[in-house]
Amino acid sequence: MANLSKGDKIYVAGHRGLVGSAIVRSLKRAGYDNIIGRTHAELDLTDQAMVKAFFEEERPDVVVLAAAKVGGINANQTKPAEFAYENMQIQCNVIKCCHDYKVKKLLFLGSTCIYPKMAPQPIPESALLTGPLETTNEAYAIAKISGLEMCKFFKMQYGDDFISCMPTNLYGPYDNYELSGSHVMPAMIRKFHEAKVNSAPSVELWGTGTPLREFLYSDDMADACVFLLEHYDGLEHVNIGTGKEVTIKQLAELVKKTVGYEGEIVWNSDMPDGTPRKLTDVSKLHSLGFMHKVELEEGVKLAYDWFKENIDIARK
């Protein structure tokens, strides 16, 4: 296993997003200060020549691949070709350069949406590729599976220290609050906040509210990633989550209460629910020695406080 040193040059791809910004904060808390990043305008990761030129110039020691084209059900259903193509381009370009430029450690981040729709619950890492995927995010899932497997193949063929982790549903600072492309938590926070500000009598939410979901605060996810960078070199990917779940309806009530909205919730059952249940089996992560710290009620308050303080820069 490659040993990280505090002076290593660490490239965090996607350093401005929900995932990447949290990992940068966690790395700094852990004493790593030689962290580099590039905005999309500075480096288009779908451009093979630009990615190669970047690696040629910077020669990073460690890479965290947290850049991806992401979105909720609506975005995935309306733009599946983009989700598949752009994510595969990013992954192919970065992973190959990590090999070519002898990066000593690569952490590839996927998502628990890679698992089959009817996977056993809670979902163990071994459930990967054992059944059909959820159709509402199939394109993104297939792209992420290809990246995870590519890391495994480079490790098997060349001995590269490339590892992968699959975080559950995340929320926190620098999330995407654009309603047409956001995930459930930021969408709820924005909808309830705007309804409160505008004194709207009700808020419409998609689906029935019955699906079960697990939510992890982004800083906990980031701390787990740094932990894995320092302590893990296995071939198999690692789930990152809390191992705890709530219904979407329970989440809505919690967000409503946190925001202080007093109107009613209207469920539009004509809209899709997505996967009925998705809970990660985090026994592997726990056995390695890591557990989350921020529980859901505290995390929703932290996320809403950040949204209020950064409403002008929150993506909307």
Side-chain angles (χ1 to χ4, degrees), residues 76-244:
N76 272 271
Q77 286 189 310
T78 55
K79 298 178 179 178
E82 289 179 29
F83 274 82
Y85 182 65
E86 290 183 26
N87 280 304
M88 286 184 188
Q89 280 186 307
I90 291 168
Q91 294 161 190
C92 287
N93 292 340
V94 174
I95 293 170
K96 182 62 161 60
C97 277
C98 285
H99 170 73
D100 290 345
Y101 288 89
K102 296 179 171 51
V103 166
K104 72 177 183 180
K105 189 101 180 189
L106 164 67
L107 174 62
F108 173 76
L109 284 96
S111 160
T112 50
C113 75
I114 64 168
Y115 291 115
K117 179 174 182 174
M118 303 311 292
Q121 302 287 335
I123 310 170
E125 286 85 355
S126 59
L128 182 66
L129 297 173
T130 59
L133 298 165
E134 163 60 51
T135 55
T136 53
N137 59 17
E138 187 176 21
Y140 179 77
I142 286 174
K144 283 296 170 184
I145 291 168
S146 70
L148 179 159
E149 293 294 294
M150 201 184 315
C151 288
K152 190 163 74 175
F153 297 148
F154 271 90
K155 188 183 223 23
M156 290 165 62
Q157 184 172 342
Y158 300 108
D160 293 327
D161 195 352
F162 294 177
I163 61 171
S164 300
C165 64
M166 300 297 126
T168 190
N169 298 302
L170 301 172
Y171 66 99
Y174 300 97
D175 207 341
N176 179 6
Y177 287 89
E178 180 191 1
L179 292 179
S180 65
S182 62
H183 290 98
V184 60
M185 176 85 79
M188 282 186 183
I189 288 174
R190 182 175 173 186
K191 279 188 173 186
F192 283 117
H193 175 79
E194 290 182 352
K196 176 186 174 183
V197 170
N198 297 321
S199 300
S202 65
V203 168
E204 181 183 289
L205 299 177
W206 279 19
T208 63
T210 57
L212 288 155
R213 290 291 183 274
E214 173 186 22
F215 295 94
L216 180 68
Y217 191 61
S218 57
D219 281 20
D220 274 340
M221 172 278 308
D223 288 349
C225 287
V226 174
F227 177 86
L228 291 174
L229 280 170
E230 294 178 331
H231 301 287
Y232 186 71
D233 66 349
L235 190 64
E236 188 179 49
H237 62 283
V238 180
N239 288 338
I240 298 180
T242 64
K244 302 177 181 181

Side-chain angles (χ1 to χ4, degrees), residues 8 32 49 58 68 72 75 104 107 128 150 154 173 176 189 193 233 259 272 274 282 288 292 295 300 305 313:
D8 282 340
Y32 298 96
E58 291 291 346
K104 72 177 183 180
L107 174 62
L128 182 66
M150 201 184 315
F154 271 90
N176 179 6
I189 288 174
H193 175 79
D233 66 349
V259 170
V282 289
L288 291 168
H292 75 283
E295 299 298 348
V300 170
D305 286 347
I313 65 165

